[in-house]
Amino acid sequence: FGTGLAHNNHLVARHLGVSTMTADYRLMTSRLEQAKVCVMFAAVAPLASRVFGYVPGRLNENSADLPRGVASEWGRWVLSSGFLFGADDLPERRFFAEQSSPMHFIFASDDPWVVREGVEHLAGQFTRACERTIQEVTPAAARVARIGHIGLFRSELADTVWQEALTWLDS
């Protein structure tokens, strides 16, 4: 979603969003995952940031290491209704409506955090995009047992998911 915040996003020829959504925890289908996210961003992340200077990814099975400032900002957005689109102190969000490139969003069906409603909400913020498509990838289609939150980036998917994504980017 980062290009949506960029003042020069008109330079983007094609936009591929992988495991991205409006990260409002209320959109998650699992109440357990909702609770985990609340605990993570309201308690664990702030404490870990003070202790380590960052939030170690190992504290959460669905994440990578997060620098202190990123964790703080993400926590504020995730716990706010509408994610960063509800942040009144983020004037850059206006750039989402200015990006006009074709967009393709990919998410995993077994991702505990990224759900279709959140992907659709994020895609809908790019109101000038000339094309917006959303692809839900199942583990069976990717020929793996599990994908999860950041699993679409694994090399095992090079011949399936990534080949399709590269074909789209090259078209």
Side-chain angles (χ1 to χ4, degrees):
F1 69 87
T3 61
L5 294 168
H7 68 90
N8 61 349
N9 63 27
H10 64 279
L11 299 173
V12 175
R14 294 179 87 66
H15 175 114
L16 176 66
V18 180
S19 298
T20 60
M21 67 173 255
T22 299
D24 181 338
Y25 77 94
R26 295 161 196 83
L27 298 176
M28 296 175 178
T29 55
S30 165
R31 296 281 186 215
L32 178 59
E33 288 301 321
Q34 288 178 354
K36 284 182 183 178
V37 168
C38 286
V39 169
M40 171 55 96
F41 285 110
V44 175
L47 179 61
S49 289
R50 279 191 221 99
V51 172
F52 302 114
Y54 70 101
V55 178
R58 69 180 182 274
L59 295 177
N60 183 347
E61 66 190 73
N62 294 312
S63 187
D65 291 350
L66 294 176
R68 179 189 321 219
V70 172
S72 174
E73 190 169 60
W74 268 85
R76 188 169 51 86
W77 291 345
V78 168
L79 298 173
S80 298
S81 181
F83 188 51
L84 62 86
F85 303 105
D88 293 333
D89 62 341
L90 186 65
E92 293 84 2
R93 66 185 179 179
R94 74 182 185 279
F95 297 127
F96 278 85
E98 296 178 12
Q99 189 168 345
S100 60
S101 59
M103 303 192 162
H104 185 65
F105 297 87
I106 303 171
F107 74 102
S109 64
D110 65 342
D111 187 330
W113 290 9
V114 178
V115 297
R116 179 170 291 278
E117 184 180 357
V119 177
E120 289 172 349
H121 186 262
L122 176 61
Q125 304 305 308
F126 294 95
T127 55
R128 288 192 55 213
C130 63
E131 170 190 330
R132 286 177 289 191
T133 56
I134 297 173
Q135 176 186 3
E136 182 174 359
V137 178
T138 65
R143 293 185 238 138
V144 294
R146 181 178 183 277
I147 300 172
H149 181 53
I150 56 176
L152 287 170
F153 294 100
R154 290 195 321 258
S155 60
E156 298 94 305
L157 304 181
D159 294 333
T160 55
V161 175
W162 284 108
Q163 199 55 52
E164 291 176 28
L166 289 171
T167 299
W168 182 84
L169 283 170
D170 287 338
S171 63

